[in-house]
Amino acid sequence: MFIKFIKGIFTPAVNIMSRLWYWQKFALLTVLFTIPVGYALLSYTIQINKSIIFAEKEIIGVQYLSPAFALLQDLQQHRGMASLYLRGDTSFLPRLLEKEKEIEEDFALIAAEDKKFGQELGTVDTPKILQERWAVLGKNYTQLSSKESARQHTEFISDILTLIYLVGDTSNLILDPDLDSYYLMNTLVNTLPNLSETLGQARAFTLSVQDTKK
């Protein structure tokens, strides 16, 4: 019964093949084999192209975040030195001025990346707004108490961290489908900046509680 069923299925194909010339049979078999192989190659090519696009966006994110990480570190160092300066250690003034130049350079590098990739990463004009805010803080912090300076620096740094998280998200860095790469990128974009800021806030708090300028 089963054999008859199988024969019934293949009978039309056998009849067709028996009526064809040899070259026609070879041509038909070639087409029949080419279709699934071609489909598999097409699917593979599409997947490879998706992976390339995904990786290219990750590269963009790394380019953008490199000066952003430098800015984060420089702002944290500026916060600490400003606290010491406002507590009366005027020896930190030259280092503060030098650090402020470095911060301006960081902003310039970020602005250059934002000009190229801001539309794609959803950060258009954000660095410009942050730089304008920094200009105000950089000009006025010397008139503040150590505690208030640390507070305003911390609020500003929080916005820099928000920018870093946004770029990490929109550039696929923290969306990597490979588990090992995901953990690496998550550590780079989220864990390490958070840890760095937590330690920085602890240092700033230690200095501010000793502040005698109200």
Side-chain angles (χ1 to χ4, degrees):
M1 187 71 177
F2 177 74
I3 295 176
K4 290 182 178 180
F5 175 74
I6 295 299
K7 286 183 177 179
I9 293 177
F10 287 100
T11 295
V14 171
N15 291 336
I16 292 174
M17 293 295 288
S18 64
R19 298 174 185 175
L20 298 177
W21 299 95
Y22 281 109
W23 70 266
Q24 292 175 321
K25 293 178 181 180
F26 283 121
L28 178 60
L29 290 174
T30 299
V31 171
L32 291 176
F33 278 108
T34 300
I35 291 175
V37 172
Y39 177 79
L41 288 175
L42 178 62
S43 299
Y44 180 74
T45 302
I46 291 173
Q47 186 60 42
I48 289 296
N49 287 336
K50 287 182 179 179
S51 298
I52 291 173
I53 293 172
F54 194 96
E56 287 176 344
K57 203 163 186 180
E58 287 183 316
I59 292 172
I60 291 173
V62 171
Q63 290 180 216
Y64 197 111
L65 288 179
S66 181
F69 287 143
L71 174 62
L72 175 65
Q73 184 179 46
D74 287 336
L75 285 169
Q76 290 168 336
Q77 293 173 353
H78 189 277
R79 174 178 56 194
M81 289 189 290
S83 293
L84 290 169
Y85 173 74
L86 293 171
R87 290 177 60 227
D89 192 343
T90 56
S91 66
F92 276 93
L93 181 58
R95 294 170 64 182
L96 277 167
L97 295 177
E98 182 63 29
K99 185 58 63 176
E100 287 163 16
K101 290 180 181 179
E102 293 176 6
I103 290 172
E104 289 298 328
E105 291 171 359
D106 294 335
F107 270 117
L109 292 174
I110 294 174
E113 296 299 328
D114 194 70
K115 185 176 181 180
K116 292 186 289 185
F117 307 119
Q119 193 71 41
E120 186 173 359
L121 297 176
T123 61
V124 176
D125 292 334
T126 300
K128 180 180 178 181
I129 295 171
L130 290 172
Q131 188 170 14
E132 291 172 352
R133 289 181 52 200
W134 163 249
V136 175
L137 178 58
K139 181 180 179 180
N140 297 332
Y141 77 90
T142 55
Q143 308 302 316
L144 305 174
S145 67
S146 175
K147 183 177 181 179
E148 180 61 19
S149 172
R151 185 189 69 80
Q152 292 193 22
H153 273 81
T154 298
E155 287 184 354
F156 186 73
I157 289 171
S158 177
D159 291 333
I160 301 300
L161 286 170
T162 299
L163 174 63
I164 290 174
Y165 301 152
L166 174 62
V167 173
D169 185 27
T170 56
S171 67
N172 298 331
L173 282 172
I174 57 175
L175 300 175
D176 200 301
D178 294 328
L179 197 58
D180 53 347
S181 300
Y182 165 78
Y183 284 124
L184 176 62
M185 291 299 102
N186 185 60
T187 299
L188 178 66
V189 176
N190 290 326
T191 306
L192 290 181
N194 270 322
L195 179 60
S196 173
E197 177 55 13
T198 298
L199 294 174
Q201 288 184 27
R203 289 193 298 269
F205 176 77
T206 300
L207 293 172
S208 67
V209 295
Q210 303 176 40
D211 185 24
T212 57
K213 182 179 178 180
K214 305 296 182 184

